[in-house]
Amino acid sequence: LAREASGDVWVGTSRGISLVSFHPPPSMPAATLTTRIRVLGREATVFTFEGLPRETIYSTRSIRVPNGAETVELRCFTGSGGVRCIATDEWIHLSRSAGIRTAAFDVELDDLGYLWVATPDAGLYRSHQALTLNELRASSALESAPDSDGIEPLFVRIDDRSERPTRSVRALTRAGNRMYAGVAGGPIT
């Protein structure tokens, strides 16, 4: 779950992504209005995103990235298809051409602006540079490009050859200038 300041709630499920909105926006990219419901006595609209490929969603997280002189909030969803983020009115998909060759369990932005991705079977990925919204858009555009071979991927796999107990990294969090990863054998930094 990811809660917006407005009170709206993003929900990732085994059937994809939904938004429970108490103040429906005028439009949502790739959204289909599914139903009106009452939640704790308040009217709400549930949007589903049928225009997106169906996938299992494992986690949701909001992060802020630079967009020129401002920052923009991205709502990121990790799942069986990689990482999907929505920025204002567009979806950004990060997977194979971005360098993420597997499903994703979690994402986190570090103090320097690098995006980290936890995966179920390939350990950690990290962006090779601090990210901006334009770099994410460009990497996402490569997903549909007919030939993106030879283009440096945005993410690189972190292979630290440590005594890490597993390549299945389930969760990420940041504390100060340290990144922590949760694995079956306990946290690692």
Side-chain angles (χ1 to χ4, degrees):
L1 301 174
R3 185 173 183 267
E4 300 286 345
S6 66
D8 294 350
V9 178
W10 291 92
V11 181
T13 71
S14 63
R15 296 174 58 185
I17 300 168
S18 295
L19 172 67
V20 179
S21 178
F22 296 97
H23 306 94
S27 69
M28 290 298 296
T32 302
L33 175 65
T34 58
T35 189
R36 298 275 301 157
I37 62 172
R38 291 188 69 77
V39 177
L40 300 174
R42 293 177 59 194
E43 289 287 322
T45 304
V46 178
F47 292 93
T48 57
F49 295 87
E50 295 175 353
L52 299 176
R54 187 172 231 164
E55 64 181 296
T56 300
I57 302 300
Y58 301 123
S59 71
T60 64
R61 184 182 300 268
S62 293
I63 60 173
R64 297 188 70 75
V65 296
N67 183 28
E70 302 176 343
T71 60
V72 64
E73 184 173 10
L74 299 179
R75 290 137 215 99
C76 295
F77 303 86
T78 58
S80 55
V83 179
R84 292 187 189 280
C85 300
I86 187 168
T88 312
D89 62 350
E90 68 181 303
W91 284 97
I92 296 170
H93 181 215
L94 303 169
S95 64
R96 294 194 73 74
S97 67
I100 303 168
R101 308 253 183 243
T102 184
F105 275 155
D106 200 5
V107 295
E108 181 66 277
L109 198 66
D110 70 17
D111 290 354
L112 300 175
Y114 290 80
L115 188 64
W116 293 71
V117 179
T119 71
D121 55 6
L124 293 170
Y125 285 81
R126 189 190 78 179
S127 59
H128 66 83
Q129 62 191 35
L131 293 182
T132 67
L133 182 56
N134 286 336
E135 288 155 348
L136 288 168
R137 284 178 175 144
S139 187
S140 180
L142 293 176
E143 293 296 327
S144 58
D147 183 19
S148 59
D149 291 341
I151 297 174
E152 182 179 12
L154 185 59
F155 290 87
V156 293
R157 191 164 155 259
I158 305 298
D159 192 3
D160 62 1
R161 307 216 190 283
S162 69
E163 298 292 321
R164 191 168 58 214
T166 177
R167 288 204 174 276
S168 181
V169 181
R170 308 289 283 178
L172 295 169
T173 194
R174 180 182 72 183
N177 63 353
R178 294 195 79 135
M179 185 68 68
Y180 293 88
V183 299
I188 56 174
T189 60

